[in-house]
Amino acid sequence: MSRTLLVALVTLAVACSGGGGGDRPDGSTSAPATPKTPVDLATTGVVIGRILHDGESSEAKKVRMESSCSALHSTAITERRVQVSADGGLRDAFVHVTGLDELGFPPPEGKVEVDQAGCLYVPRVVGVRVNQPVVFINSDPILHNVHTYAENNRSMNFSMPMKGQRIEKKFKKPEVMVATRCDVHPWMEAHLGVVDHPCFAVTGEDGTFRLENVPSGMRRIAVWHGTLGELSGEVEVQAGASVELVLRYPAR
């Protein structure tokens, strides 16, 4: 009786654990990812435009650095959380196309660099594709650490004590945005927009952007800004053509 009971228990354990022939060769029972439909780049278009803000640039505030960091600068460092050009262009807004989850694009080329220079992140807003290498650099002769605050991705926290040090990381899932800070110097902050396609950009000093390889059809364009929040609009993209889109943040 005891031997029969033991065999029954073992059989039950195997059945419950999926060990009797999992859904995948590695033994896991999760369903494989649905294949994405490859995008024919000949059927894509370009979205060009501007992100505007009806308000003015925010007040320039002095960055209060410790002595080891301020010694890296010849003058005091100030920052503006909202930077607007004379004709209303908004700088450092992350612009991207949404609703492309089921489409497959050619893999990303090259690497994205995020530097720690003068105890500041350069650039402060950057876009990167899923699984594209991101190289964090320490250009300062002092200790920094990179601490990412993510929800869809695994958060990271690693130190970079040496000048010239380079550490390469990847983000496995889309996420807009991933905040990145230095715990040693709390004023240091950057944001990374992680998407699984190449249709993204960060606005320049005049608020302009350009999105390449956007699949044809009605497309939603989403905008993120660290202070002003989110904005979106729609545009119809035609193959081989450019279309213009202007989106505007109202004055606060």
Side-chain angles (χ1 to χ4, degrees):
M1 178 67 69
S2 60
R3 180 180 179 82
T4 301
L5 179 60
L6 177 61
V7 171
L9 291 175
V10 170
T11 303
L12 178 61
V14 171
C16 292
S17 65
D23 295 334
R24 301 172 67 185
D26 61 5
S28 64
T29 57
S30 58
T34 303
K36 295 190 175 186
T37 303
V39 173
D40 181 0
L41 297 184
T43 66
T44 64
V46 178
V47 179
I48 58 176
R50 296 185 74 195
I51 306 301
L52 304 176
H53 179 40
D54 289 335
E56 300 180 348
S57 295
S58 58
E59 179 184 356
K61 294 185 177 181
K62 181 180 178 180
V63 179
R64 299 187 179 279
M65 296 183 173
E66 61 182 47
S67 58
S68 60
C69 289
S70 60
L72 301 174
H73 300 273
S74 57
T75 60
I77 299 300
T78 61
E79 67 174 2
R80 298 179 187 269
R81 290 295 181 177
V82 179
Q83 298 187 57
V84 183
S85 65
D87 60 348
L90 179 65
R91 179 178 179 176
D92 284 343
F94 182 70
V95 185
H96 65 108
V97 182
T98 66
L100 304 181
D101 297 346
E102 297 180 356
L103 301 179
F105 292 83
E109 297 181 359
K111 301 178 180 181
V112 174
E113 294 186 349
V114 178
D115 200 357
Q116 297 156 102
C119 293
L120 298 170
Y121 276 113
V122 183
R124 285 180 53 186
V125 180
V126 63
V128 60
R129 290 182 62 182
V130 170
N131 287 321
Q132 184 175 18
V134 181
V135 182
F136 292 94
I137 306 169
N138 184 4
S139 292
D140 295 333
I142 55 179
L143 167 69
H144 291 302
N145 86 299
V146 175
H147 191 172
T148 66
Y149 295 80
E151 295 183 2
N152 297 340
N153 290 276
R154 177 177 296 180
S155 295
M156 312 174 195
N157 193 350
F158 54 90
S159 63
M160 300 187 69
M162 297 179 293
K163 181 177 181 179
Q165 190 173 4
R166 302 167 68 93
I167 295 180
E168 185 174 300
K169 297 291 184 180
K170 291 182 180 181
F171 295 90
K172 304 296 185 180
K173 299 179 181 179
E175 185 167 354
V176 178
M177 305 285 284
V178 176
T180 304
R181 300 185 178 93
C182 174
D183 296 327
V184 183
H185 310 106
W187 64 85
M188 292 179 61
E189 183 176 29
H191 288 86
L192 288 79
V194 185
V195 293
D196 55 1
H197 57 76
C199 309
F200 64 88
V202 177
T203 56
E205 294 182 0
D206 57 355
T208 58
F209 67 88
R210 181 181 180 91
L211 306 178
E212 303 273 1
N213 299 322
V214 181
S216 57
M218 291 299 300
R219 297 299 173 189
R220 179 175 176 268
I221 311 299
V223 185
W224 174 94
H225 186 271
T227 299
L228 301 177
E230 299 178 349
L231 193 64
S232 66
E234 288 191 342
V235 64
E236 185 173 2
V237 180
Q238 296 183 358
S242 297
V243 62
E244 185 175 0
L245 176 68
V246 177
L247 296 174
R248 185 185 302 270
Y249 283 93
R252 290 191 156 192

